[in-house]
Amino acid sequence: MKIAACIDEAGTVSTLNRTAAICLFGRENSGWTEQDRIAFDLASNPTLAERKAVLRDLATRLGDCRVLLTAGEVGIVPAILQEELGFRLWRSEGDLAEQLDSVAAHEAEVAEKAAKAALSPPIPIPTAPLGLGGGCGGGGSPRRRGGPAPTAEILAQAKVALEIVGDPADSRFRLDLAALLDSGAGLNSRDILVPILVGPPFRSLEILCDHPPRWLAETAAGLGLIVTIESLDEGVRVTVTRRNSA
């Protein structure tokens, strides 16, 4: 297995915004071995175009390695790495070897879950509009009527910590996407949001993030969802609702 790590001049794991090197490590019988060291400096490349060019060059230099250990990232840089270049970002603590071992263990866990998910039946995409009633007679289950799914079912489907907004029966949720992406869990916005968007119906989902995921608007439109964006003092609030929802 190969893991890239952002290392500063003192030899400790650093953030990408500091002048450092990206070291590529491979695990062998004797432990972790440094296989390559790539000079890396975002500070002298302040514009978005320059930073994208530096990150694309880094991705090319790292070959098929898309696992990156840093001291924690915020802003546009992790978004580019995850959304456009397919990296999984991790943050850990301890000495370097311990952190590499920790990332490797988490990567193995993610791979195992992905393998199990691949064997599971696909999640159906809900197409019925969200309604409050069941029509004449009021019979049938909420799912068949297109009504809100039980809160517990949505929470289980999401596999992330959703905050319930208001009455749980209203199926309104809030998700701090920025915090999840910065948690070092190795997830990107697609990993987190797609299971929610294609899962059991909800009335609204507030997403707190540094910027709207670039893929979200098109994907949401294809699922019959409406996306609105509101600027906050820090970041943005993206609200996803279903058409005809109250």
Side-chain angles (χ1 to χ4, degrees), residues 42-55 76-77 80:
L42 278 182
S44 60
N45 296 276
T47 70
L48 179 59
E50 290 172 338
R51 293 195 164 201
K52 283 189 173 184
V54 170
L55 295 174
I76 191 64
V77 170
I80 296 170

Side-chain angles (χ1 to χ4, degrees), residues 99-156:
Q99 293 190 58
L100 292 172
D101 285 339
S102 176
V103 171
H106 284 300
E107 279 287 313
E109 182 180 349
V110 169
E112 181 181 359
K113 289 181 179 179
K116 290 181 179 178
L119 298 176
S120 301
I123 301 171
I125 297 177
T127 56
L130 188 64
L132 294 176
C136 296
S141 69
R143 292 300 301 281
R144 286 197 295 271
R145 296 198 307 266
T151 295
E153 186 177 355
I154 293 179
L155 294 175

Side-chain angles (χ1 to χ4, degrees), residues 170-174 202-206 239-242:
D170 288 341
S171 291
R172 301 181 188 275
F173 301 94
R174 181 180 296 119
F202 54 84
R203 277 194 173 84
S204 69
L205 171 66
E206 294 180 16
T239 303
V240 182
T241 56
R242 296 191 180 277

Side-chain angles (χ1 to χ4, degrees), residues 57-224:
D57 179 67
L58 174 64
T60 300
R61 294 280 303 274
L62 289 176
D64 60 358
C65 176
R66 287 297 180 269
V67 182
L68 180 59
L69 170 65
T70 78
E73 308 297 332
V74 295
I76 191 64
V77 170
I80 296 170
L81 286 168
Q82 295 177 109
E83 307 293 341
E84 298 185 21
L85 300 175
F87 277 87
R88 295 182 297 281
L89 303 185
W90 293 94
R91 182 178 62 186
S92 186
E93 296 180 353
D95 66 33
L96 180 57
E98 290 176 345
Q99 293 190 58
L100 292 172
D101 285 339
S102 176
V103 171
H106 284 300
E107 279 287 313
E109 182 180 349
V110 169
E112 181 181 359
K113 289 181 179 179
K116 290 181 179 178
L119 298 176
S120 301
I123 301 171
I125 297 177
T127 56
L130 188 64
L132 294 176
C136 296
S141 69
R143 292 300 301 281
R144 286 197 295 271
R145 296 198 307 266
T151 295
E153 186 177 355
I154 293 179
L155 294 175
Q157 184 64 60
K159 297 183 177 64
V160 293
L162 286 172
E163 177 186 351
I164 300 172
V165 179
D167 187 341
D170 288 341
S171 291
R172 301 181 188 275
F173 301 94
R174 181 180 296 119
L175 175 69
D176 192 339
L177 179 62
L180 283 170
L181 293 176
D182 193 39
S183 67
L187 299 173
N188 59 40
S189 62
R190 287 182 186 271
D191 295 331
I192 297 167
L193 293 176
V194 168
I196 306 175
L197 298 178
V198 304
F202 54 84
R203 277 194 173 84
S204 69
L205 171 66
E206 294 180 16
I207 305 167
L208 305 178
C209 48
D210 295 326
H211 63 91
R214 298 178 61 180
W215 57 270
L216 179 58
E218 182 178 355
T219 299
L223 295 171

